[in-house]
Amino acid sequence: MSEIILMSDPRVAAVPVHECGEPLVDVRRGPLLVDLRKQDDSDAFFYLREGVLERLLQAQAHLPAGLGFLVVEGYRPPALQRRYFEKYAARLRAEQPGWTDEQIRSAVSRFVSPPEIAPHSAGAAVDLTLVDADGRELDLGTPMNATPEESAGACYTDAAGISAQARAHREILGRVLTAVGLVNYPTEWWHWSFGDRYWALATAAASACYGPSLHGVHE
């Protein structure tokens, strides 16, 4: 896709889902470094679909020497996804009282997917960044999960105005993840997915294989 298609675009919701039933698996069982900033009582964020995790491991193996992935969030329960969406919508309504409901929904979807199609709630998406050999996060231009407002748009993957070093790090991240079939959400440099509706639209696949209708974490 050359244009930026937002998660709220009707073309995303129109993609059919043929759920393959692949399980969610615990990313902590492998060599990936996992960050705890999203930890809660359910530990849900530690999980990804098995096929997504396999692709992440393949991608990490092709990173330049001394670099690794830091996984910040994987699976997100639908109820939590809805809370995130509604909280950000309320914030934007307060900041932009003249906007219509559709404008709010579109703006929110730059940063939080509508709950009914959310890749995280399908276990298909991962938020991640790069770290050095000592586990220190590299400069990718913005803090992870910086909103478009907070970052003045620098959270967009192809944003202008970030440093050459940050650009190089984003290119490394993109190169290895794209090579294993993941797609980026272009308003968030850290968000990558495989098998969900957005992935299907981006790759012209006939359908998604992971749907956002899971009812709990399992292995």
Side-chain angles (χ1 to χ4, degrees):
M1 294 182 296
S2 58
E3 64 175 310
I4 292 182
I5 296 179
L6 296 177
M7 290 285 184
S8 60
D9 193 297
R11 287 173 288 180
V12 181
V15 173
V17 177
H18 295 152
E19 171 60 54
C20 67
E22 191 176 281
L24 288 162
V25 293
D26 191 334
V27 303
R28 294 169 294 182
R29 292 187 173 181
L32 292 172
L33 190 61
V34 179
D35 188 271
L36 300 181
R37 72 187 75 175
K38 291 282 187 177
Q39 187 171 21
D40 59 22
D41 292 340
S42 72
D43 279 352
F45 81 104
F46 284 130
Y47 290 78
L48 286 169
R49 293 287 190 137
E50 190 171 44
V52 179
L53 178 56
E54 289 172 356
R55 285 170 173 80
L56 283 185
L57 294 175
Q58 293 170 17
Q60 178 162 267
H62 288 94
L63 284 171
L67 299 187
F69 290 142
L70 177 66
V71 175
V72 174
E73 188 171 18
Y75 176 68
R76 187 182 296 158
L80 180 58
Q81 181 72 30
R82 185 168 297 281
R83 286 201 299 273
Y84 283 171
F85 189 86
E86 292 175 350
K87 181 179 179 180
Y88 191 36
R91 171 181 164 182
L92 290 182
R93 284 193 191 96
E95 294 174 353
Q96 304 291 344
W99 282 8
T100 65
D101 288 346
E102 186 54 41
Q103 286 175 307
I104 292 293
R105 178 179 168 84
S106 178
V108 171
S109 75
R110 297 169 304 162
F111 187 65
V112 184
S113 174
E116 63 273 14
I117 57 93
H120 279 289
S121 294
V126 59
D127 292 343
L128 78 172
T129 189
L130 293 173
V131 293
D132 64 18
D134 295 318
R136 293 185 296 249
E137 291 184 46
L138 302 186
D139 175 18
L140 276 92
T142 74
M144 202 168 182
N145 291 317
T147 68
E149 292 79 21
E150 291 164 346
S151 67
C155 59
Y156 281 48
T157 305
D158 292 332
I162 63 173
S163 70
Q165 183 181 55
R167 173 64 57 203
H169 291 156
R170 290 189 187 189
E171 289 174 354
I172 291 169
L173 189 69
R175 182 172 66 250
V176 297
L177 291 171
T178 300
V180 296
L182 274 73
V183 301
N184 172 242
Y185 189 42
T187 61
E188 300 176 337
W189 59 259
W190 55 84
H191 177 107
W192 293 80
S193 70
F194 176 88
D196 60 291
R197 282 179 164 126
Y198 196 86
W199 165 88
L201 184 64
T203 61
S207 63
C209 57
Y210 304 142
S213 58
L214 301 172
H215 297 289
V217 171
H218 58 284
E219 298 176 74

